[in-house]
Amino acid sequence: MSLHSLAEDPKKRRPPQDEIHRAGCKRTQWDNVPVSRCSEECPKGYRRFMKTGIHHCCFDCIQCSDGEISNMTDRGSCVKCAEDQWTKDNIQCVPKPTEFLSYKDDLISIVVSVISALFFVKTSVILSMFIVYRDTPVIKASNQNLSILLLVSIMLSFLCVPLFIGHPVHVTCMLRHTSYGIICSVAVSSILAKTLMVYSAFKATKPGTSWTKIVGLKITNSVVFFCSCIQVLIGLIWLTTSPPFPENNNNVDKIIIQCNEGSLLAFSILLGYMGLLAAVTFIVAFLARNLPDSFNETKHITFSMLVFCNVWIGFIPAYLSVTGKNTVLVEIFAIISSSIGILGCIFFPKCYIILMRPDLNVKNVILKLAH
């Protein structure tokens, strides 16, 4: 049969063997298409990678890189997904899930909120108790005004916890650290004023000392006002120059919605000032720890500042070693732990005397203990 007769019937025509050999791996119009003997068709999620030094139709199949897809077989290149998308098996671009500490998806958010609310109520009860028993010797010896200011500050610190939970927005990002920094500074400066008052009041019992003049000046209010104003000034400068703001941190498989501090220097100064106040208060309370029992509040203050300093010293490496919503959890645990430490060490012993040992809450007993 001649080639001319085969041309009249294309379905029956077959190319000669040497023509197939010359065509190599190239596709033809015949029903029995020659298949490459060196490469198979690349599946979805892969792309061709041409081999060098051999026939041009011989290639390897390489999986698409992270963030790229190939949704067709035998593709020569991969398509890059958008920044807010990630790849599913390198075949399809899907939206990245968002991550932030929320009440809906994180049980720990509900737990810390319940703990914060519980101790807020406990602090409110203690505050009410100090107002009701304000004329008793135990309350008078601890300076009622400073104690109430300290209790209010602790209550507000527990109320700061909800600012760290939920979808970050500009308002919550700006108020998170600045509000707690100011509230914490008021609390610690109140403790410092209580310590100075106790120490100076004991020294003033010795006639002819300069401590008599210091007690007369009523420096406690000045200490609280001056120390708190410095932290307020730091917060105002931070918010006016480089305020915190919400940002989306794109990772490979998720988008972390978080608050950017804006100025890391300002954030460090705010924490550093809190640490300085706590360190000064701890040193003064430690030096006054051996005063007579009627002025023995300095021992409780020493323990409270020891707890406070340990919590925030441990906060720094923990904060730097975690990412995403875990950083927010570290901050919340530090706030709750330090507030509970101050509340427990300073006020629980007084509540025990008021409620369980009223026989010790007598002026004659306290005067005997003073001697």
Side-chain angles (χ1 to χ4, degrees):
M1 184 180 292
S2 63
L3 291 176
H4 179 72
S5 61
L6 284 174
E8 295 177 355
D9 190 2
K11 294 183 179 180
K12 296 181 180 180
R13 182 178 182 269
R14 296 291 184 271
Q17 197 68 25
D18 58 346
E19 187 176 344
I20 295 176
H21 178 73
R22 287 195 303 269
C25 303
K26 186 177 181 180
R27 295 181 181 272
T28 65
Q29 60 181 348
W30 324 115
D31 53 347
N32 293 330
V33 179
V35 179
S36 171
R37 290 172 294 179
C38 57
S39 300
E40 295 290 339
E41 190 178 63
C42 290
K44 295 180 180 181
Y46 290 80
R47 65 177 179 86
R48 291 180 180 180
F49 180 76
M50 297 301 176
K51 295 180 179 180
T52 57
I54 56 177
H55 201 278
H56 70 277
C57 69
C58 295
F59 51 84
D60 289 330
C61 293
I62 298 179
Q63 189 175 17
C64 294
S65 304
D66 292 335
E68 295 181 343
I69 65 166
S70 174
N71 55 4
M72 296 177 63
T73 59
D74 223 16
R75 290 291 299 268
S77 61
C78 298
V79 180
K80 188 174 181 61
C81 294
E83 290 187 358
D84 59 346
Q85 296 178 330
W86 70 297
T87 60
K88 185 177 181 181
D89 300 326
N90 296 107
I91 297 176
Q92 182 182 6
C93 290
V94 296
K96 291 181 180 178
T98 57
E99 179 186 280
F100 58 90
L101 194 63
S102 65
Y103 293 103
K104 181 180 179 181
D105 301 325
D106 302 293
L107 179 61
I108 189 66
S109 301
I110 301 176
V111 173
V112 295
S113 297
V114 170
I115 294 174
S116 177
L118 179 63
F119 278 93
F120 174 83
V121 173
K122 286 186 176 182
T123 309
S124 303
V125 173
I126 295 174
L127 177 61
S128 302
M129 189 183 304
F130 267 63
I131 295 175
V132 172
Y133 294 93
R134 61 184 178 274
D135 295 327
T136 59
V138 169
I139 305 299
K140 287 183 177 180
S142 63
N143 193 316
Q144 179 190 358
N145 293 332
L146 287 177
S147 297
I148 291 176
L149 180 61
L150 178 56
L151 286 170
V152 172
S153 300
I154 295 174
M155 290 171 60
L156 293 177
S157 67
F158 287 124
L159 289 181
C160 288
V161 171
L163 292 174
F164 292 84
I165 303 175
H167 192 289
V169 294
H170 281 88
V171 175
T172 56
C173 287
M174 293 174 65
L175 292 179
R176 279 182 180 183
H177 300 108
T178 53
S179 60
Y180 177 73
I182 294 172
I183 293 170
C184 182
S185 297
V186 173
V188 177
S189 59
S190 300
I191 298 174
L192 177 60
K194 287 169 67 70
T195 309
L196 291 174
M197 182 204 68
V198 172
Y199 190 75
S200 59
F202 178 73
K203 292 294 183 180
T205 57
K206 299 180 180 180
T209 61
S210 58
W211 292 98
T212 306
K213 298 180 180 180
I214 295 177
V215 174
L217 293 176
K218 298 181 179 180
I219 63 170
T220 55
N221 295 334
S222 300
V223 169
V224 176
F225 179 79
F226 179 74
C227 295
S228 302
C229 282
I230 294 177
Q231 190 71 299
V232 172
L233 183 61
I234 294 172
L236 289 176
I237 294 175
W238 184 8
L239 294 179
T240 53
T241 56
S242 182
F245 59 91
E247 69 171 358
N248 296 339
N249 186 8
N250 280 317
N251 286 358
V252 177
D253 57 347
K254 60 185 175 181
I255 299 177
I256 299 175
I257 304 177
Q258 60 188 9
C259 287
N260 189 309
E261 287 81 9
S263 174
L264 186 59
L265 177 62
F267 180 57
S268 302
I269 292 174
L270 184 137
L271 289 180
Y273 182 72
M274 286 169 46
L276 178 64
L277 275 180
V280 172
T281 305
F282 173 75
I283 293 172
V284 175
F286 182 78
L287 294 175
R289 70 191 186 280
N290 292 324
L291 294 178
D293 288 344
S294 60
F295 301 97
N296 206 20
E297 190 178 20
T298 52
K299 287 186 178 181
H300 304 312
I301 293 175
T302 303
F303 282 115
S304 67
M305 287 296 97
L306 186 62
V307 173
F308 184 89
C309 293
N310 285 333
V311 167
W312 286 101
I313 289 174
F315 161 80
I316 296 175
Y319 182 83
L320 297 176
S321 61
V322 296
T323 58
K325 60 184 178 182
N326 292 327
T327 60
V328 181
L329 281 175
V330 169
E331 291 177 301
I332 292 175
F333 282 129
I335 292 172
I336 293 177
S337 301
S338 58
S339 300
I340 292 176
I342 294 175
L343 183 68
C345 293
I346 295 179
F347 292 101
F348 282 3
K350 299 182 187 302
C351 294
Y352 173 76
I353 292 176
I354 293 172
L355 298 177
M356 307 301 295
R357 295 295 304 274
D359 56 303
L360 298 178
N361 194 10
V362 181
K363 184 176 181 179
N364 294 333
V365 175
I366 291 181
L367 290 176
K368 290 179 181 180
L369 293 174
H371 300 287

